[in-house]
Amino acid sequence: MIPHAARAACSGNMAAPLVLVVLVAVTIRAILFRSSLAAFISERVEVASPLNSWKRVVEGMALLDLDVSPYSGDVFHETPLIIYLFHFLVDYSEIVFMITDALTAVALYLAVQEYNKVMFKQQKLYLELKKYSTGAQELLRVPTEMHYIPLKVALFYLLNPYTVLSCVAKSTCAINNAITALFILATVKGSPLLSAVFLSLATYQSLYPVTLFPAAVLYLLQREFIPVKMSSSSFWIVTCQYSSLYVGSLTILICHSFFLLNSWDFIHAVYGFILSVPDLTPNIGLFWYFFAEMFAHFSLFFVCVFQINVFFYTVPLSIKLKDHPVFLMFIQIAIISIFKSYPTVGDVAFYMALLPMWSHLSRFLRNIFIVSCMLVVCSLLFPVLWHLWIYAGSANSNFYYAITLSFNVAQILLVSDYFYAFLRREYHLHHGLYLTKKDGTEATLILK
């Protein structure tokens, strides 16, 4: 056991670097807010989408001030709670976004810290029960390796250029990230009520986080040592309780939005807009170019095909990773950021901040160097090809969409590489690191 004084000293030692990172991040953002780059960044299609653009939020507030429904036109597509939040805080919007980023980082820091404690206890238990092979000692995690991971996660989020750009552009994606981070923290801490409330708020904001529901239930079941079996009454009790909390919270949010506006217009303007993808403004996603080139009578079918990508993988991944709900959560968040209809770099920054959590998978990663190069090169080429297309006229939309495709392929390779590495490590933990055939020669592991 670690003495209480020693634990307090350890927490203090970790808190000081976190405070320093937050101060540096806030300073960088404050400088950029006051620079001439702020207006340029806010116009970038990689940073702001029709859903979360600050300019559209301002236009929505202007309509509200005139006693006109902000959803009467085709400009504003944020939720009613966002417009009312900034209606009162518009003069302090820069401070709100900086605080939001800091809150996200702190929530992720605390969530990873708690998760590492749980994982270390689970590892110790599995060793005592002899569930791990004696030949997998090299793969076991040690406290010294896990100690700085929460700080790295906060660092990766706050100082990631994608996050900084998103904050300076005042993209409401930053608020969505904060809500998702609080959901992860509440889930890892084992609070069904807060987890359901934040998940419902995340779903209310952008719809797609509904796919995180299975991961949350699986984690809460695992925390209570309840087996995932259809025949188990405890399984159904926990699932139904969480479902009731989630659906109840979501219903309250939607009804509250109705009472604020005395209209259901926001349902079609927000969720209908997300699902039907009527605005084909270029972005870093996969939808815009494809539907711009398509005949109108085919669009409904292919919208359904494209949208199903976000939801389709939820069930098979939940079955495969039912014993690893936090990793399932990470994979699902990454899938959302890749396949959602209006993604921005802020979405990408959120799941990339979680990569240090899986640093123990590094020995099994196969394509990390190539993927890293692809992501960096694509990020640099986005503004170049946009300039050549829109301003110089020496390129066209094909060039910009080509780099968008490359960027998304790199993300898919990154996620699939981590998924492969995770499954391979789990196999080696149970069967030993060095596998041999019956004749004593080295065996080759093929995951199917």
Side-chain angles (χ1 to χ4, degrees):
M1 292 289 290
I2 300 173
H4 177 73
R7 286 201 302 267
C10 181
S11 300
N13 290 340
M14 288 298 290
L18 177 62
V19 171
L20 180 62
V21 169
V22 170
L23 288 175
V24 170
V26 168
T27 303
I28 292 170
R29 286 159 172 74
I31 292 169
L32 286 172
F33 271 128
R34 292 289 171 264
S35 72
S36 57
L37 288 172
F40 170 75
I41 292 169
S42 65
E43 296 292 331
R44 296 302 311 165
V45 293
E46 302 87 3
V47 181
S49 74
L51 271 177
N52 56 36
S53 167
W54 177 249
K55 182 185 286 186
R56 293 188 180 229
V57 173
V58 172
E59 290 184 16
M61 288 189 292
L63 289 172
L64 194 64
D65 288 334
L66 296 170
D67 291 329
V68 177
S69 170
Y71 302 106
S72 57
D74 192 33
V75 174
F76 184 70
H77 302 287
E78 259 295 355
T79 55
L81 289 186
I82 288 292
I83 194 170
Y84 275 95
L85 170 69
F86 284 109
H87 193 258
F88 297 105
L89 298 174
V90 65
D91 294 332
Y92 310 99
S93 59
E94 295 174 2
I95 296 172
V96 169
F97 280 102
M98 288 191 284
I99 290 173
T100 301
D101 269 5
L103 178 64
T104 306
V106 172
L108 290 176
Y109 175 92
L110 295 173
V112 175
Q113 198 174 54
E114 179 67 21
Y115 173 71
N116 283 346
K117 291 176 186 175
V118 172
M119 284 299 99
F120 191 70
K121 288 178 183 176
Q122 186 185 78
Q123 179 180 275
K124 188 178 178 181
L125 178 63
Y126 279 16
L127 285 170
E128 289 174 356
L129 298 174
K130 296 184 179 179
K131 287 191 174 184
Y132 287 157
S133 170
T134 53
Q137 293 295 320
E138 293 178 38
L139 299 178
L140 297 178
R141 305 185 71 185
V142 294
T144 50
E145 170 233 332
M146 300 165 75
H147 183 67
Y148 288 104
I149 289 175
L151 183 63
K152 288 178 182 177
V153 169
L155 186 72
F156 268 52
Y157 184 77
L158 285 174
L159 299 183
N160 188 326
Y162 292 161
T163 317
V164 175
L165 292 173
S166 188
C167 179
V168 174
K170 294 193 268 193
S171 165
T172 54
C173 173
I175 295 172
N176 298 344
N177 288 348
I179 295 167
T180 308
L182 290 169
F183 154 71
I184 294 171
L185 175 60
T187 305
V188 172
K189 287 285 186 180
S191 172
L193 175 60
L194 289 177
S195 174
V197 168
F198 284 120
L199 181 58
S200 64
L201 196 53
T203 307
Y204 167 80
Q205 276 297 116
S206 56
L207 192 62
Y208 295 113
V210 68
T211 58
L212 299 175
F213 180 88
V217 172
L218 288 169
Y219 186 86
L220 293 170
L221 288 167
Q222 187 184 78
R223 191 178 174 91
E224 298 297 325
F225 301 100
I226 298 171
V228 183
K229 292 180 180 178
M230 296 296 181
S231 58
S232 169
S233 59
S234 299
F235 167 79
W236 287 109
I237 289 169
V238 171
T239 304
C240 291
Q241 283 177 345
Y242 190 82
S243 301
S244 301
L245 290 170
Y246 172 71
V247 173
S249 301
L250 191 58
T251 304
I252 289 169
L253 286 168
I254 292 173
C255 291
H256 184 61
S257 299
F258 169 76
F259 291 128
L260 284 174
L261 296 169
N262 200 29
S263 168
W264 293 108
D265 290 348
F266 72 93
I267 298 286
H268 180 265
V270 179
Y271 309 117
F273 185 81
I274 290 171
L275 292 173
S276 61
V277 202
D279 191 320
L280 301 178
T281 302
N283 54 58
I284 62 169
L286 299 169
F287 283 72
W288 66 273
Y289 182 85
F290 193 83
F291 290 102
E293 300 294 327
M294 184 181 291
F295 291 114
H297 56 279
F298 290 124
S299 62
L300 178 60
F301 171 75
F302 281 101
V303 162
C304 295
V305 171
F306 271 59
Q307 291 287 10
I308 205 171
N309 268 298
V310 180
F311 305 98
F312 178 77
Y313 304 106
T314 305
V315 174
L317 283 173
S318 299
I319 295 169
K320 184 67 178 177
L321 298 171
K322 63 183 174 63
D323 296 324
H324 311 284
V326 175
F327 188 74
L328 170 61
M329 219 175 281
F330 162 72
I331 293 290
Q332 203 63 58
I333 290 169
I335 288 171
I336 290 170
S337 71
I338 296 168
F339 292 111
K340 68 190 295 187
S341 50
Y342 294 102
T344 62
V345 291
D347 300 300
V348 179
F350 186 78
Y351 82 82
M352 283 191 173
L354 300 174
L355 294 181
M357 285 179 70
W358 318 110
S359 56
H360 55 284
L361 304 178
S362 57
R363 69 184 295 163
F364 299 117
L365 295 174
R366 301 166 297 175
N367 306 312
I368 194 67
F369 177 73
I370 296 171
V371 169
S372 301
C373 291
M374 285 179 71
L375 289 171
V376 171
V377 170
C378 289
S379 299
L380 294 173
L381 286 178
F382 273 130
V384 173
L385 292 177
W386 179 263
H387 178 83
L388 291 176
W389 173 26
I390 300 299
Y391 298 104
S394 55
N396 56 38
S397 59
N398 296 329
F399 288 75
Y400 191 79
Y401 191 61
I403 209 66
T404 298
L405 280 178
S406 302
F407 186 72
N408 283 289
V409 166
Q411 290 187 81
I412 292 167
L413 287 174
L414 179 69
V415 174
S416 58
D417 206 12
Y418 270 89
F419 186 56
Y420 164 83
F422 185 86
L423 295 180
R424 183 167 177 181
R425 179 179 178 272
E426 286 299 311
Y427 185 88
H428 282 304
L429 279 172
H430 292 89
H431 298 88
L433 186 56
Y434 302 103
L435 307 174
T436 56
K437 297 179 183 177
K438 291 180 180 179
D439 59 4
T441 57
E442 185 179 351
T444 303
L445 177 64
I446 299 174
L447 295 176
K448 294 184 179 179

